[in-house]
Amino acid sequence: MNTIELCVFDMAGTTIDEGNLVYKTVRDAINTRGYDVSLASCLEHGGGKEKRQAIHDVLAGESAIDPEQLDDESDVIFADFKERLAQGYDGNSVRAFSGIEDLFVRLRDNGIKVFLNTGYNRITAEKILGIVGWQVGRDIDGLVTADDVDNGRPAADMILLAMDMAGVSDAQKVLKAGDSVIDIEEGQNAGCGLSIGVLTGAQDEAQLRRAQPDYVLEKLTDLANILL
């Protein structure tokens, strides 16, 4: 393995503990429209995805909706979801996982850049950073959101943009970690040297291992045992 120069970490469920608030909000927004989907279904079909796409895929996987109505219904639910999520995120619902800031410091002290990427839009992602008190340039080296690219996960666009911003040209020197299959697939599609799943968020070990990650970690801070 080449020396890792850039780590790209997912936000919710990987570095940020929000108790699956986003997927509970997806579930509630969908079910308000008269459906009956479970949280488990939202995590399975929507984990790690841009959130409008997540809603679309949950509906497609768990309901008998007319395919011709799927896009319009997804748009209506997504609009409601954004309003619900804006009200749901506050200082009581979001925090950094224990030890994450120390991990960031150790990685950066060892010359490894730390970027966050996310299926959230930029407004939501920056709100979360504000709640936990992280600043780009001080605590992390960069942030890439679903708004910043044409293609969301599992496409490689967000990682490729992070590489460009970080000045890292060799994907084998990049590590991607996240709590869902689609995070692992994103890293693999970008050609990352390491693609890692963590068990603190959306999906369980059996689900993550379907994507054949290089490692599955109990928590992201265990990464120190691999890199440092």
mmCIF file of all heavy atoms in Angstrom, residues 55-108:
data_model
loop_
_atom_site.group_PDB
_atom_site.id
_atom_site.type_symbol
_atom_site.label_atom_id
_atom_site.label_comp_id
_atom_site.label_asym_id
_atom_site.label_seq_id
_atom_site.Cartn_x
_atom_site.Cartn_y
_atom_site.Cartn_z
ATOM 1 N N ILE A 55 -34.435 9.157 -0.818
ATOM 2 C CA ILE A 55 -35.901 9.075 -0.761
ATOM 3 C C ILE A 55 -36.437 8.315 -1.968
ATOM 4 O O ILE A 55 -37.292 7.430 -1.848
ATOM 5 C CB ILE A 55 -36.507 10.481 -0.673
ATOM 6 C CG1 ILE A 55 -36.206 11.087 0.709
ATOM 7 C CG2 ILE A 55 -38.014 10.461 -0.946
ATOM 8 C CD1 ILE A 55 -36.456 12.566 0.802
ATOM 9 N N HIS A 56 -35.926 8.652 -3.134
ATOM 10 C CA HIS A 56 -36.325 7.978 -4.377
ATOM 11 C C HIS A 56 -36.105 6.473 -4.260
ATOM 12 O O HIS A 56 -36.984 5.656 -4.589
ATOM 13 C CB HIS A 56 -35.516 8.561 -5.537
ATOM 14 C CG HIS A 56 -35.742 7.901 -6.867
ATOM 15 N ND1 HIS A 56 -35.179 6.679 -7.204
ATOM 16 C CD2 HIS A 56 -36.464 8.298 -7.959
ATOM 17 C CE1 HIS A 56 -35.546 6.349 -8.427
ATOM 18 N NE2 HIS A 56 -36.321 7.302 -8.908
ATOM 19 N N ASP A 57 -34.918 6.072 -3.765
ATOM 20 C CA ASP A 57 -34.571 4.658 -3.736
ATOM 21 C C ASP A 57 -35.330 3.898 -2.648
ATOM 22 O O ASP A 57 -35.646 2.717 -2.819
ATOM 23 C CB ASP A 57 -33.063 4.498 -3.559
ATOM 24 C CG ASP A 57 -32.286 4.967 -4.786
ATOM 25 O OD1 ASP A 57 -32.922 5.286 -5.810
ATOM 26 O OD2 ASP A 57 -31.046 5.032 -4.708
ATOM 27 N N VAL A 58 -35.630 4.560 -1.543
ATOM 28 C CA VAL A 58 -36.463 3.923 -0.517
ATOM 29 C C VAL A 58 -37.860 3.669 -1.070
ATOM 30 O O VAL A 58 -38.424 2.576 -0.907
ATOM 31 C CB VAL A 58 -36.523 4.787 0.753
ATOM 32 C CG1 VAL A 58 -37.544 4.214 1.734
ATOM 33 C CG2 VAL A 58 -35.156 4.873 1.422
ATOM 34 N N LEU A 59 -38.435 4.664 -1.726
ATOM 35 C CA LEU A 59 -39.759 4.496 -2.329
ATOM 36 C C LEU A 59 -39.752 3.377 -3.361
ATOM 37 O O LEU A 59 -40.661 2.542 -3.402
ATOM 38 C CB LEU A 59 -40.212 5.801 -2.982
ATOM 39 C CG LEU A 59 -40.657 6.939 -2.072
ATOM 40 C CD1 LEU A 59 -40.954 8.176 -2.915
ATOM 41 C CD2 LEU A 59 -41.892 6.539 -1.269
ATOM 42 N N ALA A 60 -38.732 3.369 -4.200
ATOM 43 C CA ALA A 60 -38.654 2.362 -5.262
ATOM 44 C C ALA A 60 -38.493 0.960 -4.697
ATOM 45 O O ALA A 60 -39.015 -0.013 -5.260
ATOM 46 C CB ALA A 60 -37.488 2.680 -6.202
ATOM 47 N N GLY A 61 -37.804 0.851 -3.571
ATOM 48 C CA GLY A 61 -37.524 -0.464 -3.015
ATOM 49 C C GLY A 61 -38.593 -1.010 -2.105
ATOM 50 O O GLY A 61 -38.680 -2.223 -1.906
ATOM 51 N N GLU A 62 -39.429 -0.127 -1.554
ATOM 52 C CA GLU A 62 -40.323 -0.571 -0.494
ATOM 53 C C GLU A 62 -41.798 -0.259 -0.716
ATOM 54 O O GLU A 62 -42.598 -0.486 0.170
ATOM 55 C CB GLU A 62 -39.881 0.062 0.832
ATOM 56 C CG GLU A 62 -38.562 -0.475 1.354
ATOM 57 C CD GLU A 62 -38.644 -1.946 1.745
ATOM 58 O OE1 GLU A 62 -39.713 -2.376 2.214
ATOM 59 O OE2 GLU A 62 -37.644 -2.652 1.566
ATOM 60 N N SER A 63 -42.158 0.293 -1.851
ATOM 61 C CA SER A 63 -43.566 0.620 -2.048
ATOM 62 C C SER A 63 -44.016 0.213 -3.445
ATOM 63 O O SER A 63 -43.201 -0.051 -4.323
ATOM 64 C CB SER A 63 -43.806 2.127 -1.857
ATOM 65 O OG SER A 63 -43.241 2.854 -2.933
ATOM 66 N N ALA A 64 -45.325 0.192 -3.613
ATOM 67 C CA ALA A 64 -45.899 -0.183 -4.905
ATOM 68 C C ALA A 64 -46.207 1.047 -5.744
ATOM 69 O O ALA A 64 -47.122 1.045 -6.555
ATOM 70 C CB ALA A 64 -47.159 -1.014 -4.682
ATOM 71 N N ILE A 65 -45.442 2.097 -5.572
ATOM 72 C CA ILE A 65 -45.685 3.350 -6.272
ATOM 73 C C ILE A 65 -45.533 3.184 -7.781
ATOM 74 O O ILE A 65 -44.683 2.431 -8.259
ATOM 75 C CB ILE A 65 -44.726 4.443 -5.741
ATOM 76 C CG1 ILE A 65 -45.087 5.805 -6.326
ATOM 77 C CG2 ILE A 65 -43.283 4.081 -6.014
ATOM 78 C CD1 ILE A 65 -44.318 6.949 -5.700
ATOM 79 N N ASP A 66 -46.390 3.870 -8.523
ATOM 80 C CA ASP A 66 -46.306 3.889 -9.980
ATOM 81 C C ASP A 66 -44.973 4.519 -10.383
ATOM 82 O O ASP A 66 -44.659 5.632 -9.953
ATOM 83 C CB ASP A 66 -47.470 4.724 -10.534
ATOM 84 C CG ASP A 66 -47.530 4.719 -12.054
ATOM 85 O OD1 ASP A 66 -46.507 4.432 -12.695
ATOM 86 O OD2 ASP A 66 -48.608 5.022 -12.592
ATOM 87 N N PRO A 67 -44.152 3.821 -11.184
ATOM 88 C CA PRO A 67 -42.859 4.384 -11.587
ATOM 89 C C PRO A 67 -42.966 5.774 -12.215
ATOM 90 O O PRO A 67 -42.049 6.590 -12.081
ATOM 91 C CB PRO A 67 -42.323 3.361 -12.584
ATOM 92 C CG PRO A 67 -42.988 2.077 -12.199
ATOM 93 C CD PRO A 67 -44.349 2.462 -11.709
ATOM 94 N N GLU A 68 -44.079 6.045 -12.888
ATOM 95 C CA GLU A 68 -44.237 7.356 -13.519
ATOM 96 C C GLU A 68 -44.458 8.464 -12.489
ATOM 97 O O GLU A 68 -44.261 9.640 -12.788
ATOM 98 C CB GLU A 68 -45.408 7.312 -14.509
ATOM 99 C CG GLU A 68 -45.159 6.413 -15.715
ATOM 100 C CD GLU A 68 -46.282 6.474 -16.722
ATOM 101 O OE1 GLU A 68 -47.270 7.204 -16.473
ATOM 102 O OE2 GLU A 68 -46.177 5.798 -17.766
ATOM 103 N N GLN A 69 -44.859 8.094 -11.282
ATOM 104 C CA GLN A 69 -45.080 9.074 -10.217
ATOM 105 C C GLN A 69 -43.888 9.196 -9.271
ATOM 106 O O GLN A 69 -43.860 10.084 -8.414
ATOM 107 C CB GLN A 69 -46.319 8.684 -9.399
ATOM 108 C CG GLN A 69 -47.612 8.677 -10.193
ATOM 109 C CD GLN A 69 -48.788 8.231 -9.342
ATOM 110 O OE1 GLN A 69 -48.610 7.598 -8.303
ATOM 111 N NE2 GLN A 69 -49.985 8.577 -9.782
ATOM 112 N N LEU A 70 -42.893 8.329 -9.452
ATOM 113 C CA LEU A 70 -41.810 8.221 -8.486
ATOM 114 C C LEU A 70 -41.016 9.516 -8.352
ATOM 115 O O LEU A 70 -40.732 9.978 -7.238
ATOM 116 C CB LEU A 70 -40.889 7.064 -8.871
ATOM 117 C CG LEU A 70 -39.765 6.716 -7.903
ATOM 118 C CD1 LEU A 70 -40.293 6.426 -6.513
ATOM 119 C CD2 LEU A 70 -38.992 5.502 -8.434
ATOM 120 N N ASP A 71 -40.668 10.143 -9.470
ATOM 121 C CA ASP A 71 -39.862 11.360 -9.413
ATOM 122 C C ASP A 71 -40.625 12.509 -8.761
ATOM 123 O O ASP A 71 -40.087 13.225 -7.914
ATOM 124 C CB ASP A 71 -39.385 11.768 -10.809
ATOM 125 C CG ASP A 71 -38.218 10.923 -11.293
ATOM 126 O OD1 ASP A 71 -37.518 10.343 -10.442
ATOM 127 O OD2 ASP A 71 -38.008 10.847 -12.513
ATOM 128 N N ASP A 72 -41.880 12.690 -9.170
ATOM 129 C CA ASP A 72 -42.667 13.780 -8.589
ATOM 130 C C ASP A 72 -42.889 13.562 -7.101
ATOM 131 O O ASP A 72 -42.788 14.510 -6.300
ATOM 132 C CB ASP A 72 -44.018 13.894 -9.297
ATOM 133 C CG ASP A 72 -43.897 14.452 -10.712
ATOM 134 O OD1 ASP A 72 -42.838 15.037 -11.027
ATOM 135 O OD2 ASP A 72 -44.859 14.301 -11.489
ATOM 136 N N GLU A 73 -43.185 12.345 -6.711
ATOM 137 C CA GLU A 73 -43.402 12.041 -5.299
ATOM 138 C C GLU A 73 -42.111 12.255 -4.502
ATOM 139 O O GLU A 73 -42.143 12.789 -3.384
ATOM 140 C CB GLU A 73 -43.906 10.607 -5.150
ATOM 141 C CG GLU A 73 -44.391 10.253 -3.760
ATOM 142 C CD GLU A 73 -45.739 10.872 -3.401
ATOM 143 O OE1 GLU A 73 -46.171 11.846 -4.063
ATOM 144 O OE2 GLU A 73 -46.360 10.391 -2.455
ATOM 145 N N SER A 74 -40.993 11.867 -5.079
ATOM 146 C CA SER A 74 -39.711 12.071 -4.410
ATOM 147 C C SER A 74 -39.436 13.549 -4.190
ATOM 148 O O SER A 74 -38.921 13.952 -3.131
ATOM 149 C CB SER A 74 -38.573 11.446 -5.233
ATOM 150 O OG SER A 74 -38.744 10.048 -5.365
ATOM 151 N N ASP A 75 -39.772 14.381 -5.160
ATOM 152 C CA ASP A 75 -39.556 15.828 -5.030
ATOM 153 C C ASP A 75 -40.389 16.415 -3.889
ATOM 154 O O ASP A 75 -39.900 17.234 -3.097
ATOM 155 C CB ASP A 75 -39.905 16.533 -6.339
ATOM 156 C CG ASP A 75 -38.888 16.280 -7.436
ATOM 157 O OD1 ASP A 75 -37.749 15.890 -7.123
ATOM 158 O OD2 ASP A 75 -39.248 16.472 -8.622
ATOM 159 N N VAL A 76 -41.654 16.000 -3.813
ATOM 160 C CA VAL A 76 -42.540 16.503 -2.755
ATOM 161 C C VAL A 76 -42.013 16.094 -1.381
ATOM 162 O O VAL A 76 -41.942 16.909 -0.444
ATOM 163 C CB VAL A 76 -43.971 15.981 -2.963
ATOM 164 C CG1 VAL A 76 -44.847 16.314 -1.755
ATOM 165 C CG2 VAL A 76 -44.576 16.583 -4.226
ATOM 166 N N ILE A 77 -41.627 14.841 -1.247
ATOM 167 C CA ILE A 77 -41.148 14.341 0.044
ATOM 168 C C ILE A 77 -39.816 14.984 0.404
ATOM 169 O O ILE A 77 -39.569 15.331 1.577
ATOM 170 C CB ILE A 77 -41.032 12.807 0.010
ATOM 171 C CG1 ILE A 77 -42.428 12.186 -0.145
ATOM 172 C CG2 ILE A 77 -40.351 12.273 1.262
ATOM 173 C CD1 ILE A 77 -42.418 10.695 -0.428
ATOM 174 N N PHE A 78 -38.957 15.188 -0.569
ATOM 175 C CA PHE A 78 -37.658 15.812 -0.303
ATOM 176 C C PHE A 78 -37.816 17.233 0.222
ATOM 177 O O PHE A 78 -37.098 17.655 1.137
ATOM 178 C CB PHE A 78 -36.807 15.795 -1.575
ATOM 179 C CG PHE A 78 -35.435 16.385 -1.406
ATOM 180 C CD1 PHE A 78 -34.581 15.935 -0.403
ATOM 181 C CD2 PHE A 78 -34.986 17.384 -2.263
ATOM 182 C CE1 PHE A 78 -33.301 16.479 -0.255
ATOM 183 C CE2 PHE A 78 -33.723 17.925 -2.114
ATOM 184 C CZ PHE A 78 -32.881 17.480 -1.111
ATOM 185 N N ALA A 79 -38.751 17.963 -0.326
ATOM 186 C CA ALA A 79 -38.992 19.329 0.152
ATOM 187 C C ALA A 79 -39.423 19.309 1.619
ATOM 188 O O ALA A 79 -38.952 20.118 2.438
ATOM 189 C CB ALA A 79 -40.052 20.008 -0.712
ATOM 190 N N ASP A 80 -40.304 18.384 1.965
ATOM 191 C CA ASP A 80 -40.740 18.246 3.354
ATOM 192 C C ASP A 80 -39.580 17.795 4.236
ATOM 193 O O ASP A 80 -39.392 18.294 5.357
ATOM 194 C CB ASP A 80 -41.893 17.242 3.427
ATOM 195 C CG ASP A 80 -42.434 17.057 4.840
ATOM 196 O OD1 ASP A 80 -42.474 18.045 5.589
ATOM 197 O OD2 ASP A 80 -42.803 15.927 5.187
ATOM 198 N N PHE A 81 -38.792 16.861 3.734
ATOM 199 C CA PHE A 81 -37.631 16.363 4.479
ATOM 200 C C PHE A 81 -36.687 17.497 4.849
ATOM 201 O O PHE A 81 -36.207 17.575 5.989
ATOM 202 C CB PHE A 81 -36.896 15.318 3.635
ATOM 203 C CG PHE A 81 -35.482 15.052 4.069
ATOM 204 C CD1 PHE A 81 -35.221 14.195 5.136
ATOM 205 C CD2 PHE A 81 -34.413 15.653 3.417
ATOM 206 C CE1 PHE A 81 -33.918 13.948 5.545
ATOM 207 C CE2 PHE A 81 -33.115 15.415 3.815
ATOM 208 C CZ PHE A 81 -32.863 14.564 4.885
ATOM 209 N N LYS A 82 -36.380 18.371 3.932
ATOM 210 C CA LYS A 82 -35.438 19.462 4.198
ATOM 211 C C LYS A 82 -35.951 20.368 5.312
ATOM 212 O O LYS A 82 -35.170 20.800 6.176
ATOM 213 C CB LYS A 82 -35.182 20.267 2.927
ATOM 214 C CG LYS A 82 -34.348 19.525 1.902
ATOM 215 C CD LYS A 82 -33.893 20.426 0.770
ATOM 216 C CE LYS A 82 -35.037 20.833 -0.129
ATOM 217 N NZ LYS A 82 -34.556 21.625 -1.290
ATOM 218 N N GLU A 83 -37.234 20.648 5.317
ATOM 219 C CA GLU A 83 -37.808 21.477 6.377
ATOM 220 C C GLU A 83 -37.732 20.767 7.728
ATOM 221 O O GLU A 83 -37.381 21.376 8.750
ATOM 222 C CB GLU A 83 -39.255 21.825 6.050
ATOM 223 C CG GLU A 83 -39.408 22.760 4.857
ATOM 224 C CD GLU A 83 -40.850 23.162 4.634
ATOM 225 O OE1 GLU A 83 -41.704 22.801 5.484
ATOM 226 O OE2 GLU A 83 -41.129 23.833 3.627
ATOM 227 N N ARG A 84 -38.048 19.484 7.744
ATOM 228 C CA ARG A 84 -38.000 18.720 8.979
ATOM 229 C C ARG A 84 -36.568 18.633 9.522
ATOM 230 O O ARG A 84 -36.335 18.779 10.732
ATOM 231 C CB ARG A 84 -38.538 17.301 8.754
ATOM 232 C CG ARG A 84 -40.031 17.222 8.508
ATOM 233 C CD ARG A 84 -40.430 15.814 8.073
ATOM 234 N NE ARG A 84 -41.862 15.725 7.806
ATOM 235 C CZ ARG A 84 -42.766 15.322 8.685
ATOM 236 N NH1 ARG A 84 -42.383 14.937 9.901
ATOM 237 N NH2 ARG A 84 -44.027 15.273 8.374
ATOM 238 N N LEU A 85 -35.613 18.404 8.622
ATOM 239 C CA LEU A 85 -34.233 18.237 9.056
ATOM 240 C C LEU A 85 -33.673 19.549 9.604
ATOM 241 O O LEU A 85 -32.932 19.553 10.595
ATOM 242 C CB LEU A 85 -33.369 17.738 7.897
ATOM 243 C CG LEU A 85 -31.972 17.262 8.297
ATOM 244 C CD1 LEU A 85 -32.051 16.023 9.185
ATOM 245 C CD2 LEU A 85 -31.126 16.980 7.069
ATOM 246 N N ALA A 86 -34.026 20.655 8.968
ATOM 247 C CA ALA A 86 -33.555 21.956 9.445
ATOM 248 C C ALA A 86 -34.007 22.210 10.870
ATOM 249 O O ALA A 86 -33.287 22.822 11.670
ATOM 250 C CB ALA A 86 -34.050 23.059 8.518
ATOM 251 N N GLN A 87 -35.197 21.737 11.208
ATOM 252 C CA GLN A 87 -35.715 21.907 12.563
ATOM 253 C C GLN A 87 -35.124 20.883 13.534
ATOM 254 O O GLN A 87 -34.996 21.148 14.729
ATOM 255 C CB GLN A 87 -37.237 21.782 12.555
ATOM 256 C CG GLN A 87 -37.940 22.866 11.750
ATOM 257 C CD GLN A 87 -39.427 22.592 11.562
ATOM 258 O OE1 GLN A 87 -39.956 21.629 12.089
ATOM 259 N NE2 GLN A 87 -40.090 23.436 10.786
ATOM 260 N N GLY A 88 -34.730 19.725 12.987
ATOM 261 C CA GLY A 88 -34.272 18.642 13.852
ATOM 262 C C GLY A 88 -32.839 18.783 14.307
ATOM 263 O O GLY A 88 -32.474 18.350 15.411
ATOM 264 N N TYR A 89 -31.981 19.400 13.479
ATOM 265 C CA TYR A 89 -30.574 19.517 13.836
ATOM 266 C C TYR A 89 -30.355 20.685 14.772
ATOM 267 O O TYR A 89 -30.621 21.841 14.444
ATOM 268 C CB TYR A 89 -29.721 19.726 12.582
ATOM 269 C CG TYR A 89 -29.270 18.433 11.950
ATOM 270 C CD1 TYR A 89 -29.368 18.228 10.585
ATOM 271 C CD2 TYR A 89 -28.718 17.412 12.728
ATOM 272 C CE1 TYR A 89 -28.931 17.049 10.006
ATOM 273 C CE2 TYR A 89 -28.302 16.222 12.160
ATOM 274 C CZ TYR A 89 -28.407 16.052 10.801
ATOM 275 O OH TYR A 89 -27.981 14.879 10.238
ATOM 276 N N ASP A 90 -29.873 20.383 15.951
ATOM 277 C CA ASP A 90 -29.493 21.419 16.902
ATOM 278 C C ASP A 90 -28.402 20.857 17.805
ATOM 279 O O ASP A 90 -27.934 19.729 17.615
ATOM 280 C CB ASP A 90 -30.692 21.903 17.723
ATOM 281 C CG ASP A 90 -31.390 20.773 18.483
ATOM 282 O OD1 ASP A 90 -30.683 19.858 18.973
ATOM 283 O OD2 ASP A 90 -32.624 20.801 18.580
ATOM 284 N N GLY A 91 -27.982 21.647 18.776
ATOM 285 C CA GLY A 91 -26.893 21.222 19.634
ATOM 286 C C GLY A 91 -27.197 20.011 20.484
ATOM 287 O O GLY A 91 -26.285 19.382 21.023
ATOM 288 N N ASN A 92 -28.456 19.669 20.629
ATOM 289 C CA ASN A 92 -28.824 18.502 21.421
ATOM 290 C C ASN A 92 -28.877 17.223 20.605
ATOM 291 O O ASN A 92 -28.929 16.128 21.164
ATOM 292 C CB ASN A 92 -30.187 18.723 22.094
ATOM 293 C CG ASN A 92 -30.170 19.854 23.102
ATOM 294 O OD1 ASN A 92 -29.217 19.980 23.861
ATOM 295 N ND2 ASN A 92 -31.202 20.679 23.097
ATOM 296 N N SER A 93 -28.885 17.348 19.281
ATOM 297 C CA SER A 93 -29.062 16.172 18.433
ATOM 298 C C SER A 93 -27.801 15.772 17.685
ATOM 299 O O SER A 93 -27.766 14.712 17.068
ATOM 300 C CB SER A 93 -30.183 16.424 17.407
ATOM 301 O OG SER A 93 -29.847 17.504 16.560
ATOM 302 N N VAL A 94 -26.767 16.594 17.719
ATOM 303 C CA VAL A 94 -25.568 16.352 16.921
ATOM 304 C C VAL A 94 -24.329 16.566 17.788
ATOM 305 O O VAL A 94 -24.234 17.554 18.514
ATOM 306 C CB VAL A 94 -25.496 17.315 15.717
ATOM 307 C CG1 VAL A 94 -24.231 17.059 14.910
ATOM 308 C CG2 VAL A 94 -26.718 17.163 14.834
ATOM 309 N N ARG A 95 -23.389 15.636 17.679
ATOM 310 C CA ARG A 95 -22.099 15.796 18.354
ATOM 311 C C ARG A 95 -21.063 14.983 17.598
ATOM 312 O O ARG A 95 -21.407 14.079 16.829
ATOM 313 C CB ARG A 95 -22.193 15.324 19.806
ATOM 314 C CG ARG A 95 -22.520 13.840 19.932
ATOM 315 C CD ARG A 95 -22.708 13.422 21.374
ATOM 316 N NE ARG A 95 -23.052 12.005 21.461
ATOM 317 C CZ ARG A 95 -23.297 11.370 22.602
ATOM 318 N NH1 ARG A 95 -23.231 12.026 23.746
ATOM 319 N NH2 ARG A 95 -23.603 10.087 22.598
ATOM 320 N N ALA A 96 -19.803 15.309 17.835
ATOM 321 C CA ALA A 96 -18.731 14.505 17.269
ATOM 322 C C ALA A 96 -18.600 13.205 18.057
ATOM 323 O O ALA A 96 -18.795 13.190 19.278
ATOM 324 C CB ALA A 96 -17.419 15.274 17.317
ATOM 325 N N PHE A 97 -18.294 12.115 17.369
ATOM 326 C CA PHE A 97 -17.981 10.883 18.078
ATOM 327 C C PHE A 97 -16.751 11.092 18.959
ATOM 328 O O PHE A 97 -15.843 11.852 18.610
ATOM 329 C CB PHE A 97 -17.727 9.740 17.095
ATOM 330 C CG PHE A 97 -18.973 9.116 16.529
ATOM 331 C CD1 PHE A 97 -19.287 9.275 15.187
ATOM 332 C CD2 PHE A 97 -19.823 8.366 17.325
ATOM 333 C CE1 PHE A 97 -20.428 8.703 14.657
ATOM 334 C CE2 PHE A 97 -20.974 7.787 16.795
ATOM 335 C CZ PHE A 97 -21.277 7.955 15.464
ATOM 336 N N SER A 98 -16.712 10.411 20.066
ATOM 337 C CA SER A 98 -15.612 10.536 21.015
ATOM 338 C C SER A 98 -14.270 10.232 20.340
ATOM 339 O O SER A 98 -14.131 9.215 19.648
ATOM 340 C CB SER A 98 -15.821 9.571 22.186
ATOM 341 O OG SER A 98 -14.738 9.607 23.075
ATOM 342 N N GLY A 99 -13.318 11.117 20.547
ATOM 343 C CA GLY A 99 -11.968 10.896 20.049
ATOM 344 C C GLY A 99 -11.719 11.331 18.621
ATOM 345 O O GLY A 99 -10.578 11.256 18.135
ATOM 346 N N ILE A 100 -12.751 11.789 17.919
ATOM 347 C CA ILE A 100 -12.587 12.135 16.507
ATOM 348 C C ILE A 100 -11.649 13.333 16.330
ATOM 349 O O ILE A 100 -10.778 13.325 15.451
ATOM 350 C CB ILE A 100 -13.947 12.421 15.844
ATOM 351 C CG1 ILE A 100 -14.741 11.125 15.700
ATOM 352 C CG2 ILE A 100 -13.777 13.096 14.488
ATOM 353 C CD1 ILE A 100 -14.150 10.130 14.736
ATOM 354 N N GLU A 101 -11.824 14.371 17.161
ATOM 355 C CA GLU A 101 -10.951 15.539 17.009
ATOM 356 C C GLU A 101 -9.492 15.168 17.227
ATOM 357 O O GLU A 101 -8.608 15.642 16.500
ATOM 358 C CB GLU A 101 -11.354 16.653 17.981
ATOM 359 C CG GLU A 101 -12.672 17.317 17.652
ATOM 360 C CD GLU A 101 -13.830 16.747 18.461
ATOM 361 O OE1 GLU A 101 -13.695 15.598 18.949
ATOM 362 O OE2 GLU A 101 -14.838 17.452 18.608
ATOM 363 N N ASP A 102 -9.227 14.305 18.194
ATOM 364 C CA ASP A 102 -7.850 13.872 18.431
ATOM 365 C C ASP A 102 -7.304 13.086 17.242
ATOM 366 O O ASP A 102 -6.122 13.224 16.886
ATOM 367 C CB ASP A 102 -7.779 13.009 19.693
ATOM 368 C CG ASP A 102 -7.969 13.800 20.972
ATOM 369 O OD1 ASP A 102 -7.806 15.039 20.929
ATOM 370 O OD2 ASP A 102 -8.284 13.186 22.010
ATOM 371 N N LEU A 103 -8.155 12.271 16.625
ATOM 372 C CA LEU A 103 -7.730 11.547 15.430
ATOM 373 C C LEU A 103 -7.359 12.522 14.317
ATOM 374 O O LEU A 103 -6.324 12.356 13.652
ATOM 375 C CB LEU A 103 -8.834 10.609 14.950
ATOM 376 C CG LEU A 103 -8.545 9.864 13.640
ATOM 377 C CD1 LEU A 103 -7.377 8.894 13.810
ATOM 378 C CD2 LEU A 103 -9.791 9.129 13.143
ATOM 379 N N PHE A 104 -8.197 13.528 14.106
ATOM 380 C CA PHE A 104 -7.901 14.531 13.080
ATOM 381 C C PHE A 104 -6.542 15.178 13.334
ATOM 382 O O PHE A 104 -5.739 15.357 12.409
ATOM 383 C CB PHE A 104 -8.977 15.616 13.059
ATOM 384 C CG PHE A 104 -10.322 15.191 12.540
ATOM 385 C CD1 PHE A 104 -11.395 16.072 12.607
ATOM 386 C CD2 PHE A 104 -10.534 13.939 11.998
ATOM 387 C CE1 PHE A 104 -12.646 15.712 12.129
ATOM 388 C CE2 PHE A 104 -11.787 13.561 11.526
ATOM 389 C CZ PHE A 104 -12.840 14.448 11.595
ATOM 390 N N VAL A 105 -6.294 15.560 14.589
ATOM 391 C CA VAL A 105 -5.020 16.211 14.935
ATOM 392 C C VAL A 105 -3.847 15.285 14.644
ATOM 393 O O VAL A 105 -2.839 15.698 14.041
ATOM 394 C CB VAL A 105 -5.023 16.637 16.417
ATOM 395 C CG1 VAL A 105 -3.619 17.073 16.847
ATOM 396 C CG2 VAL A 105 -6.012 17.771 16.647
ATOM 397 N N ARG A 106 -3.953 14.031 15.033
ATOM 398 C CA ARG A 106 -2.856 13.078 14.832
ATOM 399 C C ARG A 106 -2.604 12.832 13.350
ATOM 400 O O ARG A 106 -1.444 12.765 12.905
ATOM 401 C CB ARG A 106 -3.152 11.765 15.542
ATOM 402 C CG ARG A 106 -3.153 11.865 17.063
ATOM 403 C CD ARG A 106 -3.358 10.499 17.693
ATOM 404 N NE ARG A 106 -2.233 9.605 17.381
ATOM 405 C CZ ARG A 106 -2.258 8.293 17.624
ATOM 406 N NH1 ARG A 106 -3.351 7.721 18.159
ATOM 407 N NH2 ARG A 106 -1.212 7.540 17.326
ATOM 408 N N LEU A 107 -3.667 12.699 12.577
ATOM 409 C CA LEU A 107 -3.495 12.502 11.133
ATOM 410 C C LEU A 107 -2.801 13.702 10.503
ATOM 411 O O LEU A 107 -1.831 13.561 9.748
ATOM 412 C CB LEU A 107 -4.855 12.258 10.476
ATOM 413 C CG LEU A 107 -5.545 10.928 10.784
ATOM 414 C CD1 LEU A 107 -6.975 10.936 10.251
ATOM 415 C CD2 LEU A 107 -4.774 9.752 10.198
ATOM 416 N N ARG A 108 -3.277 14.873 10.831
ATOM 417 C CA ARG A 108 -2.721 16.089 10.225
ATOM 418 C C ARG A 108 -1.295 16.338 10.693
ATOM 419 O O ARG A 108 -0.460 16.821 9.917
ATOM 420 C CB ARG A 108 -3.639 17.271 10.516
ATOM 421 C CG ARG A 108 -5.039 17.080 9.900
ATOM 422 C CD ARG A 108 -5.993 18.180 10.282
ATOM 423 N NE ARG A 108 -5.799 19.364 9.447
ATOM 424 C CZ ARG A 108 -6.085 20.585 9.839
ATOM 425 N NH1 ARG A 108 -6.534 20.816 11.064
ATOM 426 N NH2 ARG A 108 -5.905 21.597 9.006
#
